[in-house]
C-alpha cells in the first residue's frame, strides 16, 4: 500500500467491519436477553417500574438537552468558515450517538436485571450469563456506535473529495473533533444528571427508610426504593456508558490528530493517522473473544471467569497490535526514534499503566486491605476519625497513579513522541468492549439483588446475586484505573492537538496570562464538584421530605395496608437531576469559550493544564476515598469492628454517605470535565485563530 | 541621591531604624506585661504549667531540628562555589531568628494569658490591653527580627566589598535567599509540629473528656486539658509567628530580587532593590501607630478598637508608600509603563486584594452568614449532610480568592511588570506588625478563658474573656486573607526569581518534562496534607488511650480525690508532634532537590507551578471548610438548630472535629509548603545551573 486513498479506504473498511461486528453482536445478544423468561408476576411488575422509570428519565433528559445541542450546533455553524461548518453536523451526530448508546444500554440493562433475578433461581452460572450479557451489549454498543460515527464522517469525506494529509489535518480531523465534542457534552450531562438522580434517591431511601423507619434496604415498603434502583441504572449504567463512549472517541480522535502531526512521508503520515482505527477494530475482535471466555465452571468463582475475559482480551489485543504494526508499517521510513516496535510498545505501555493504576485503586479501596482496615479501625472512635482517616487515605492514594501517569507520559514520549502518548492512551481503552461489559455487569447484578428483595424471593436467590455483585470489584477497579489514566492522557493529547491547530510554537509558563490561566484552571474542578455536591444535598433534602411525608400521611405503608407512591419519588429525583445538571454542565462547556475569547489563547492553554492536573488529582482523591469508605462499611457489615448495629457501623454509614457523591458523582464527572474543556478548546481553535489574528 | 553606595547606606539606615523601633517596642511592652500581677495562686500554678509545657515543647523542637539545619547548611556550604558559600551562614541566621521569634512570642504569650484572666476581674478594657499587648509583642518581634536579619546580611556585605547592582543580583541576593530558606524551613516544621500537637491534644481532650466522661471543656479534671492549652500556644502562637516571619522575609527578598531584574540605570535599579526595605520600615511605623489606636472606650465593642488599629495602620501605610515613592524615585528615568505612582498603586492593589480575600473568607466562614447557615441547617439531618454541605461550601469558597489573586497578578503586571506583583505581595504584609498582633491576640484571649475555667474563676470573668475571644474573628479573617494572597503571590515571585537565576528564557508548557512536573506538583499538597492528617489521627489515638487509661486507673479524678497526670499528656503530644513532623517536612524540602537534580530544571519549574496552584486551592478549601464548621458549631451552641445537646449539635461537633486538622494543620501548612519549595529551588538554582551546564 502506498497510495493515500487506498490506505484510507482500507482502514475505513476495517473499522466498518469492526463496527458491524460489534453492533451485530449487540443486536443478537440483546434479542437473546429479551427472550429469557420472567415468570414471577411481582418481579415482572417491579422490573417494569424500574425500566419505565429509567427510560422516562432518559427521554426527559434528552429532551432537556436538545435545545442546548442545537444552540451549540448553531454556534459552530455560524462561528466557523468554509468546510469547517460541518463541525455542527458531526457535533450533532456525536451527541445523538452518545444518547443512542445510553438508550440501548439502559434498555438492555433494565431488561437484564429482572431476568438475572429469575435465572438466579436456577443457578449462579445462568444468572452470571444474563447479567454479563447485559453488560456486554452495553460495551459492544458503545464501541460499535463510536466506530460507526467515525466511519460515517471519514467515509462521507472520502466520497466528496480527494483526501490529502494536509486536508485531513486542516479540515477532516477538526470536523471529527466536533463528533468528539458532541460525545463529551452528552457524557458530562449524563454523568452529572445520573449522579444527582442516583445519590438523591439513595440518600433519601437510606436516611429515612433504613435509619428512621428501620426497614431493610430495598424493602418494597420504602417509597424511594424504586427511585433508588432506577438511579443505579441511570447513574451507573447510562452515565458510565456515555462517559466511556466519550473517552473512547476522544482518545481515538486525539491519536489521529497527533498522527497527522508527525513529520514524514505522506504515506507514513496517512498510516499513522489511520493506525488508531486499526487498533480500535482489533480491540473489538479481542473484546469479543474475551467476552466468550466468561463462563463459570462448576465450583469456580465468577471472578475467575471475569478475569479470564478481561485479561484474555488484553493479551490478544496486545498481540494484534504487535502484528498489525509490523505489517501495516512495513517499508515505511520512520523519523529517528520512531519505529513499528516502538509504536507497539507505546500501546503496551498504556495497558501496563492502566492495569497498575487499577491495582493501586484496588489496594486503596478494596476489602481487607491495609488502608481500608485503617478506616475500619477509625470507625471505632466515631464518624470524625472515620472521615479524617478516609480523607487522609484518599489524598495519599492520589500519589501513585499520578506517578504512573507521569511515567506513561515520559516513556510514551521517549518511545514515539506525542504520538506514543496518544497510542498509550488508546491502548488503555482498546478492549473497552469487554471492560465496559464487566463494569456494567456490576450494577445489573446489584439491581437483580434489589429486585429479589423487593419481590420477596427466597434468601438463596439473594445470596447468588450478592455473590455476583461482590466479584466484579477487582475487574471494575482496573476499569476505573483505565478510565482515570486515559482521561489524563487524552486531555493532554487533546491539549496538544489544540496547540497544533493554533500553531503555537511555545506556551510560556512565565507569561502572566498563562500562569493566571493555570490558577483559574486549578480551581474549576473544585467549583464543579461543589456544584455537584450542593445539587445532591438539595435533591436529597427534597427526597427525605417526600419519604417522611408519605410515611406520615399513609401510616398503613409500614404494615402493608397502604401502597407507597413510588412514582412521586422517581419524579422528584428526575426533576432535581434535570434542573441541577444544567449549571455545572454549562460552566464546564462555556468556561473555555469565555477565557479563550477574553483572556486569549495563552490564558486558555494555562486553563486547560490547570484543569487537567487539578482535576486528575481531585478525581482520584474523591473516587478512592469514596470507594474506601464504601468497603469499610461493607467490612463492618460482614462482622468487623462490632458488626452491624455497632457504633462503628453507624460511623461507617456516615463515611459511606459522604463518600457516595465523592465516588459516584463528583469524582467521575471530573474525568469528563477535563476532556470536555480540552475538546471545546480544540473545536473553537479555528475561531480563536481568526479572532486573535494568529 | 545617585551614588549606589549612598542609596544602599541610606536604606540600610532606614531598616536599622525600623528594626530597632520594633525590637525596643517589644522589649518595653513585654517588660510591662511581666510586671502585671497574677494574684490567684491556682491561676499562677496552672499558668506556669502551660507556660513551661509550651517552652519545653519549643526547646525540644528546636533541639530536634538542629541536626537538620546543620546538614542543610553543610550541603549549602559544600554545594556552592565562591562567595555563595555564605548562603550556609545566612540560612543558619534565618533559622535561628525564626526560632528566636517563636521563643520570644511564646514566652510573652504564655505570660499574657494568665495576666489577662487576672485583669478580666477588673474589666474588659484592662483584659484587652494585656491580651493585645501580648499579641503586639509577637508581631513586632517578628517584624523586628526579620529586618535585623536583612540588615545584618546587607550591612556585612557593604562593609566587606563595594556593591554594584550586578554583584547584588549575582551574590548578595542569593545569599539573602538563604536567610529566607532558613525562615521557611523552620516555619514548616513549626506549623506542622505545632499543628499536630494542638490537634492531638484537642481531639483527645474533647472526645474522652467532653463526650465520654461528660465534663465541660477546660475542666481541670481532664488530664489532657493542660496539653490542650499548651497546644493552642504552640500551634496558634508559635506556629503562626514562624509562618508569618517566613512570609514577610520571602516577600521582602522576592521583591528585592525582582527589583534587580528591571532594566534601567544603575541608580534606578538600586532604588528598586532597596525600596522594599523602605516599605517594610514604613510598615513598622504604621503598625506601631495602629497598635496605639487599640483602646476600648466605655460602652464600645473591642471589635471597634481592633478595626481602628488594623485599618488605621493600613491607611497610614498606604500614605507612607505614596509619599516615599514620589520622593525616593524623584528624578529617576523609568522604563515605559513604570512610574512611582504605578509602584504605589501596586502596593495599594496588594492591600485591596488582601482585604477582599479576607472579607470573602469572613463571608464563607463567619457566624450567621448564608454558607454557614446552610451548614447549620444541614446539621439537622446528621453528620453526613453536615460534611457534604461543608465540603461543598469550602470548595466553592476557593473560587473568589483565586479570581482575586489572578486579578492582582494581571493588574500588578500591567502596573509595573513582575516588580508590580512583588510590591503587591509586600503591600499585603506591610503592616504585619499590627496584623500579627490581632492574630496572636485571639489565642491569648482563648487561653485566658481556659485558665478562668480551670482556676474556677467566677462566671463573669469567663464572660469577659469570651467576649474578647469572639471579636477578633473578622480582623483575623482578614489576616488570613493576607496570608493566603501573599503566599500565592510570593511563591510566584520566588519562582520568577528562580528562573532569573537560571537564566531560562522560556519554560514551555508543551515540554513533556514541564508537564510532568506540573502533574507531580499538583499531587504534592495532597500527599503533604495526607501525612499531616494521618499524623494527627495517630497522635490523637495515643492521647485518647492515655486519657481513658487515667480515668480508668485513677477513678478519683472525677470526684477530685485524685490528681490527673497532666504532664504525661503534654509529653505524649510533644513526642508525637516531634516524631511526625519530620516526614512531611523532609518531603517538602527534598522534593525540589530530587526533581531538580534528576528531572532537570524544566520539570522542577513545572513542579513549582503545580504545587503552587494546587496548594493554594486546596489550602483555601481546607481552611474555609474548617472555619465554617467551627462557626456552625458555635452558632448551634448559642441556640441555633436546637442548641447544645441536640442531634444537630452532635453533627456539628463531628464537622468541627474533621475541620480542625483542615483549618489548623494541613491548610496553613500548605501556605508554607508552596513557598518553601520555591525558595529551596531558588537557593539550589546556582548548583543546578552548574550541574546541568546551563
Amino acid at each position: 500500500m502506498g497510495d493515500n486513498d487506498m490506505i484510507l479506504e482500507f482502514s475505513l473498511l476495517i473499522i466498518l467491519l469492526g463496527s458491524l461486528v460489534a453492533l451485530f453482536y449487540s443486536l443478537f445478544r440483546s434479542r437473546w436477553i429479551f427472550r429469557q423468561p420472567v415468570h414471577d408476576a411481582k418481579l415482572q411488575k417491579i422490573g417494569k417500574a424500574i425500566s419505565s422509570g429509567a427510560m422516562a428519565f432518559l427521554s426527559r433528559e434528552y429532551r432537556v438537552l436538545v435545545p442546548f445541542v442545537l444552540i451549540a450546533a448553531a454556534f459552530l455553524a455560524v462561528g466557523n468558515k468554509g468546510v469547517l461548518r460541518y463541525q455542527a453536523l458531526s457535533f450533532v451526530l456525536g451527541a445523538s450517538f452518545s444518547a443512542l448508546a445510553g438508550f440501548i444500554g439502559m434498555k438492555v440493562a433494565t431488561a437484564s436485571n429482572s431476568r438475572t433475578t429469575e435465572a438466579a433461581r436456577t443457578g449462579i452460572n445462568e444468572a452470571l450469563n444474563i447479567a454479563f450479557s447485559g453488560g456486554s451489549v452495553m460495551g459492544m454498543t458503545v464501541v460499535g456506535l463510536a466506530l460507526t460515527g467515525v466511519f460515517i464522517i471519514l467515509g462521507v469525506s472520502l466520497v466528496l473529495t480527494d483526501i490529502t494529509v494536509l486536508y485531513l489535518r486542516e479540515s477532516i480531523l477538526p470536523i471529527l473533533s466536533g463528533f468528539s465534542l458532541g460525545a463529551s457534552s452528552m457524557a458530562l450531562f449524563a454523568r452529572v444528571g445520573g449522579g444527582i438522580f442516583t445519590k438523591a434517591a439513595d440518600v433519601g431511601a437510606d436516611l429515612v427508610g433504613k435509619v428512621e423507619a428501620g426497614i431493610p434496604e430495598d424493602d418494597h415498603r420504602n417509597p424511594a426504593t424504586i427511585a433508588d434502583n432506577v438511579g443505579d441504572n441511570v447513574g451507573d449504567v447510562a452515565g458510565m456508558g456515555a462517559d466511556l463512549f466519550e473517552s473512547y472517541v476522544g482518545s481515538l480522535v486525539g491519536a489521529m490528530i497527533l498522527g497527522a502531526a508527525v513529520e514524514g512521508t505522506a504515506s507514513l503520515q496517512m498510516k499513522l493517522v489511520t493506525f488508531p482505527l486499526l487498533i480500535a477494530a482489533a480491540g473489538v475482535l479481542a473484546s469479543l473473544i474475551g467476552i466468550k471466555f466468561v463462563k463459570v465452571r462448576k465450583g469456580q468463582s465468577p471472578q475467575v471467569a471475569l478475569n479470564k475475559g478481561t485479561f484474555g482480551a488484553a493479551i490478544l489485543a496486545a498481540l494484534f497490535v504487535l502484528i498489525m504494526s509490523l505489517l501495516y508499517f512495513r517499508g515505511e521510513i520512520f523519523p529517528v526514534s520512531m519505529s513499528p516496535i516502538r509504536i507497539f510498545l507505546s500501546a503496551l505501555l498504556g495497558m501496563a499503566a492502566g492495569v497498575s493504576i487499577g491495582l493501586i485503586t484496588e489496594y486503596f479501596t478494596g476489602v481487607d486491605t491495609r488502608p481500608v482496615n485503617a478506616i475500619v479501625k477509625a470507625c471505632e472512635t466515631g464518624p470524625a476519625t472515620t472521615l479524617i482517616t478516609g480523607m487522609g487515605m484518599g489524598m495519599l492514594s492520589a500519589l501513585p497513579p499520578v506517578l504512573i501517569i507521569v511515567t506513561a507520559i515520559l516513556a510514551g514520549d521517549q518511545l514515539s513522541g506525542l504520538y506514543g502518548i496518544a497510542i498509550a492512551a488508546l491502548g488503555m481503552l482498546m478492549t473497552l468492549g469487554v471492560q465496559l461489559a464487566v463494569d456494567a455487569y456490576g450494577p445489573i447484578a446489584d439491581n437483580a439483588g434489589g429486585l429479589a428483595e423487593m419481590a420477596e424471593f427466597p434468601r438463596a436467590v439473594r445470596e447468588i446475586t450478592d455473590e455476583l455483585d461482590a466479584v466484579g470489584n477487582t475487574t471494575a477497579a482496573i476499569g476505573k484505573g483505565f478510565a482515570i489514566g486515559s482521561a489524563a492522557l487524552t486531555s493532554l493529547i487533546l491539549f496538544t492537538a489544540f496547540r497544533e491547530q493554533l500553531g503555537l510554537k511555545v506556551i510560556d509558563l512565565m507569561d502572566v496570562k498563562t500562569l493566571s490561566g493555570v490558577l483559574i484552571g486549578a480551581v474549576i474542578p473544585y467549583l464543579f464538584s461543589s456544584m455537584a455536591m450542593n445539587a445532591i444535598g438539595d435533591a436529597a433534602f427534597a427526597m427525605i421530605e417526600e419519604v417522611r411525608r408519605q410515611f406520615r400521611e399513609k401510616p398503613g405503608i409500614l404494615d402493608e395496608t397502604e401502597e407507597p407512591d413510588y412514582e412521586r419519588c422517581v419524579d422528584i429525583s428526575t426533576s432535581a437531576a434535570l434542573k441541577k445538571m444544567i449549571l455545572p454542565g454549562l460552566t464546564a462547556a462555556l468556561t473555555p469559550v469565555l477565557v479563550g475569547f477574553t483572556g486569549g489563547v495563552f490564558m486558555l492553554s494555562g486553563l486547560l493544564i490547570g484543569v487537567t492536573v487539578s482535576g486528575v488529582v481531585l478525581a482520584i482523591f474523591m473516587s478512592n476515598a469514596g470507594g474506601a469508605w464504601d468497603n469499610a462499611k461493607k467490612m463492618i457489615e460482614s462482622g468487623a469492628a462490632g458488626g452491624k448495629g455497632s457504633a462503628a457501623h453507624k460511623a461507617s454509614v456516615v463515611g459511606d454517605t459522604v463518600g457516595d457523591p465523592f465516588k459516584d458523582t463528583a469524582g467521575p464527572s471530573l474525568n469528563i470535565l477535563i476532556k470536555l474543556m480540552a475538546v471545546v478548546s480544540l473545536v473553537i481553535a479555528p475561531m480563536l485563530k481568526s479572532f486573535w489574528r494568529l
Side-chain angles (χ1 to χ4, degrees), chain A:
Chain A
M1 281 178 294
D3 181 48
N4 275 344
D5 274 9
M6 257 183 62
I7 296 173
L8 196 55
E9 279 164 20
F10 171 74
S11 53
L12 281 182
L13 186 71
I14 295 287
I15 59 158
L16 178 61
L17 280 174
S19 67
L20 288 180
V21 165
L23 293 178
F24 273 107
Y25 170 85
S26 298
L27 183 66
F28 288 110
R29 204 68 204 153
S30 53
R31 285 167 64 117
W32 176 83
I33 292 171
F34 280 104
R35 275 203 309 272
Q36 302 308 306
V38 182
H39 300 299
D40 188 272
K42 197 164 184 189
L43 179 63
Q44 236 173 15
K45 187 182 146 207
I46 300 173
K48 211 159 260 164
I50 294 175
S51 172
S52 63
M55 297 321 273
F57 172 75
L58 265 204
S59 53
R60 276 180 65 182
E61 181 179 58
Y62 295 155
R63 254 176 290 153
V64 169
L65 293 179
V66 165
F68 292 102
V69 169
L70 294 182
I71 291 169
F75 173 76
L76 291 176
V78 173
N80 274 311
K81 294 199 183 78
V83 70
L84 287 183
R85 291 179 193 274
Y86 288 109
Q87 259 188 356
L89 282 184
S90 70
F91 169 75
V92 174
L93 193 71
S96 317
F97 272 28
S98 170
L100 190 60
F103 186 84
I104 295 174
M106 180 79 102
K107 187 97 198 158
V108 173
T110 53
S112 310
N113 52 14
S114 51
R115 288 168 174 83
T116 303
T117 315
E118 187 71 53
R121 286 177 154 175
T122 319
I124 191 163
N125 208 356
E126 287 73 11
L128 171 70
N129 200 9
I130 294 185
F132 185 74
S133 295
S136 71
V137 170
M138 180 83 193
M140 283 305 194
T141 307
V142 160
V143 170
L145 285 177
L147 293 185
T148 308
V150 174
F151 171 78
I152 291 174
I153 293 168
L154 292 180
V156 170
S157 312
L158 188 63
V159 170
L160 292 181
T161 86
D162 267 1
I163 293 185
T164 61
V165 173
L166 184 73
Y167 191 70
L168 251 174
R169 188 156 63 198
E170 300 202 331
S171 304
I172 309 299
L173 293 179
I175 291 175
L176 200 56
S177 58
F179 183 72
S180 186
L181 178 61
S184 293
S185 314
M186 287 303 283
L188 191 75
F189 284 106
R191 255 298 184 206
V192 176
I196 295 171
F197 187 114
T198 179
K199 288 308 131 193
D202 193 17
V203 172
D206 278 11
L207 279 189
V208 187
K210 260 160 92 172
V211 180
E212 293 183 11
I215 52 180
E217 193 163 342
D218 292 321
D219 192 287
H220 66 280
R221 289 169 295 176
N222 191 335
T225 188
I226 296 281
D228 192 10
N229 279 278
V230 169
D232 290 345
N233 283 294
V234 302
D236 295 346
V237 178
M240 183 163 51
D243 186 345
L244 288 165
F245 182 83
E246 83 90 23
S247 298
Y248 192 67
V249 171
S251 64
L252 202 56
V253 172
M256 292 176 77
I257 294 179
L258 290 189
V262 174
E263 306 272 328
T265 62
S267 98
L268 175 67
Q269 285 186 322
M270 190 56 100
K271 284 187 180 169
L272 290 173
V273 172
T274 50
F275 193 59
L277 300 174
L278 268 58
I279 292 186
V284 170
L285 192 61
S287 296
L288 204 59
I289 299 173
I291 286 171
K292 289 287 155 209
F293 284 165
V294 180
K295 286 264 148 55
V296 184
R297 300 238 178 94
K298 279 255 174 286
Q300 232 179 21
S301 154
Q303 182 70 60
V304 180
L306 292 179
N307 285 352
K308 262 197 297 189
T310 320
F311 289 106
I315 293 166
L316 271 180
L319 204 66
F320 290 163
V321 175
L322 174 63
I323 297 168
M324 287 191 314
S325 60
L326 290 176
L327 291 180
Y328 197 55
F329 292 114
R330 193 157 53 171
E332 294 295 340
I333 299 149
F334 276 88
V336 219
S337 87
M338 240 181 132
S339 74
I341 285 291
R342 281 165 169 262
I343 292 174
F344 157 69
L345 288 175
S346 306
L348 204 62
L349 170 76
M351 291 182 190
V355 171
S356 317
I357 296 175
L359 293 177
I360 283 164
T361 307
E362 171 68 7
Y363 173 71
F364 275 100
T365 61
V367 166
D368 208 21
T369 60
R370 222 172 69 86
V372 177
N373 280 328
I375 296 176
V376 169
K377 193 171 164 229
C379 287
E380 293 180 20
T381 38
T385 43
T386 306
L387 281 149
I388 293 176
T389 310
M391 278 193 274
M393 288 300 171
M395 287 182 165
L396 184 62
S397 78
L399 180 69
V402 163
L403 294 181
I404 294 168
I405 292 169
V406 164
T407 309
I409 292 173
L410 293 175
D413 181 59
Q414 282 294 313
L415 283 170
S416 322
L418 293 171
Y419 189 65
I421 301 175
I423 294 294
L426 189 57
M428 289 192 195
L429 295 177
M430 197 181 160
T431 55
L432 182 67
V434 64
Q435 288 168 33
L436 191 47
V438 173
D439 275 358
Y441 147 92
I444 293 176
D446 186 21
N447 244 260
L451 282 164
E453 199 76 40
M454 285 184 276
E456 296 172 281
F457 269 41
R459 191 79 214 121
V461 172
R462 177 74 199 225
E463 271 158 21
I464 285 183
T465 61
D466 276 357
E467 193 182 343
L468 288 181
D469 189 17
V471 291
N473 283 338
T474 309
T475 21
I478 291 178
K480 262 191 197 171
F482 282 51
I484 292 166
S486 69
L489 295 187
T490 302
S491 66
L492 291 180
I493 290 156
L494 293 170
F495 170 65
T496 310
F498 160 76
R499 188 210 51 168
E500 293 281 332
Q501 283 290 330
L502 284 176
L504 302 176
K505 289 269 176 303
V506 153
I507 296 167
D508 188 6
L509 247 186
M510 286 317 305
D511 183 292
V512 287
K513 286 203 169 176
T514 313
L515 265 180
S516 301
V518 180
L519 199 47
I520 297 174
V523 82
I524 298 285
Y526 286 79
L527 173 67
F528 184 82
S529 303
S530 148
M531 285 178 180
M533 296 192 23
N534 286 339
I536 290 172
D538 293 351
F541 195 77
M543 184 66 82
I544 289 172
E545 294 287 294
E546 169 63 20
V547 178
R548 281 184 182 160
R549 186 192 66 79
Q550 290 201 22
F551 279 137
R552 197 173 53 235
E553 293 178 6
K554 296 183 177 179
I557 291 179
L558 282 180
D559 54 20
E560 301 188 49
T561 56
E562 277 180 283
E563 181 95 331
D565 185 354
Y566 302 117
E567 268 179 41
R568 183 95 193 81
C569 290
V570 174
D571 205 56
I572 285 176
S573 254
T574 304
S575 309
L578 296 182
K579 212 171 70 188
K580 301 276 181 180
M581 73 181 178
I582 300 297
L583 188 63
L586 288 186
T587 304
L590 295 183
T591 304
V593 180
L594 192 71
V595 169
F597 283 102
T598 64
V601 294
F602 290 108
M603 194 184 276
L604 178 53
S605 302
L607 180 86
L608 295 180
I609 293 300
V611 165
T612 302
V613 300
S614 166
V616 166
V617 179
L618 187 61
I620 301 175
F621 156 54
M622 292 183 111
S623 301
N624 288 355
W629 279 317
D630 187 12
N631 272 333
K633 188 190 74 170
K634 285 187 182 152
M635 279 180 67
I636 293 179
E637 288 180 348
S638 329
K644 269 196 181 178
S646 63
H649 183 228
K650 274 188 195 136
S652 75
V653 170
V654 173
D656 184 45
T657 312
V658 174
D660 267 348
F662 270 38
K663 75 176 201 303
D664 294 329
T665 313
S669 304
L670 289 176
N671 282 338
I672 309 174
L673 175 81
I674 61 181
K675 283 176 286 177
L676 176 64
M677 291 182 80
V679 77
V680 167
S681 308
L682 175 61
V683 165
I684 63 170
M687 293 181 228
L688 286 172
K689 201 168 172 179
S690 71
F691 182 81
W692 294 103
R693 294 164 201 279
L694 293 173

